[in-house]
Amino acid sequence: MVKLRADLTWHTPAEWAEAAISDFPLFLQEHANMERKASAQAMSFVVKYPDRNEIIPTMIEIAMEELEHFQQVYERMSAMGIPLMTDAPDPYINELIGLCRHGREERFVDRMIVASVVETRGAERFRLVSEALNDTEWKKFYRDLWASEARHGNVFVEMLLHYYDAETINERLDQMMSEEGRIAAALEWRPSLH
């Protein structure tokens, strides 16, 4: 039976959130970048795999939802006088992408799993941020994002079931999650989701 989700092998300590929000404007800039990239990534699946008809409607929904999250963060930043930042490489994402195999089928599986993993880690960390914030409105904002990210973490794995058996998916998911735990544990704590 497929797990339908990435199970974290390393859990972020609650203290991470204090470091993450120590420079809240920078955290918001990083968060906005992440949401923009997540929307673009969902659409990149549509562009790269136009023959995967079963996933296209869901990818469009995810892209639109992530873009809506970007808009929500941007509007809050704008009201606070915080500009968007120039895009910079994300060491966490780059290491995960580095784990992806080559070959059309293998890369598809691995990129879908990476998307699931990133959403799952994001959900965990949005929960920690929500719990660490004192402002009621911000707490609710990040609590709502936590629920959305957790759902996305499941959806990417579910979409793979259109093309592969559960055993194949679980085996690769376990491998990737083990590596993700190592990567996440080694990350420097900074005002960023990753």
Side-chain angles (χ1 to χ4, degrees):
M1 179 172 171
V2 73
K3 297 175 189 176
L4 296 182
R5 62 170 292 152
D7 293 321
L8 299 175
T9 61
W10 179 81
H11 297 279
T12 305
E15 296 80 16
W16 164 87
E18 294 301 328
I21 61 176
S22 62
D23 183 346
F24 198 51
L26 179 56
F27 178 81
L28 292 174
Q29 288 175 316
E30 293 275 1
H31 177 187
N33 254 1
M34 185 212 63
E35 297 291 3
R36 180 188 53 76
K37 289 178 183 178
S39 179
Q41 182 214 12
M43 286 309 299
S44 78
F45 279 108
V46 174
V47 172
K48 291 177 184 174
Y49 302 98
D51 56 324
R52 308 276 177 157
N53 295 325
E54 295 82 2
I55 70 167
I56 290 174
T58 304
M59 286 298 181
I60 293 169
E61 287 175 21
I62 290 171
M64 291 171 59
E65 189 171 341
E66 298 288 12
L67 190 58
E68 182 180 333
H69 295 167
F70 169 74
Q71 180 182 21
Q72 291 169 347
V73 177
Y74 173 73
E75 286 173 352
R76 284 168 171 76
M77 289 170 56
S78 183
M80 297 167 69
I82 302 168
L84 292 173
M85 67 187 303
T86 304
D87 191 24
D90 184 319
Y92 171 75
I93 300 295
N94 288 345
E95 284 201 55
L96 289 176
I97 300 251
L99 299 173
C100 294
R101 298 168 293 179
H102 299 287
R104 182 171 167 79
E105 293 303 315
E106 293 84 358
R107 191 129 185 115
F108 175 71
V109 170
D110 288 357
R111 289 304 301 265
M112 291 284 279
I113 289 175
V114 163
S116 175
V117 167
V118 170
E119 297 286 334
T120 301
R121 181 63 69 190
E124 178 208 37
R125 292 192 167 181
F126 280 148
R127 177 182 57 80
L128 293 174
V129 167
S130 173
E131 291 169 356
L133 289 166
N134 293 320
D135 182 276
T136 306
E137 184 180 328
W138 281 111
K139 284 178 94 62
K140 180 182 181 324
F141 178 66
Y142 278 102
R143 189 176 55 244
D144 291 347
L145 287 175
W146 159 28
S148 176
E149 297 290 306
R151 184 180 56 78
H152 288 174
N154 297 343
V155 167
F156 283 100
V157 175
E158 288 171 7
M159 285 189 280
L160 283 173
L161 289 171
H162 290 293
Y163 311 104
Y164 309 98
D165 63 84
E167 184 178 342
T168 299
I169 298 167
N170 283 340
E171 182 179 340
R172 188 59 179 158
L173 186 58
D174 287 344
Q175 291 168 355
M176 297 287 274
M177 287 312 301
S178 177
E179 288 297 307
E180 189 276 346
R182 176 189 59 76
I183 292 166
L187 290 174
E188 175 188 356
W189 289 2
R190 59 194 182 97
S192 178
L193 198 60
H194 305 127

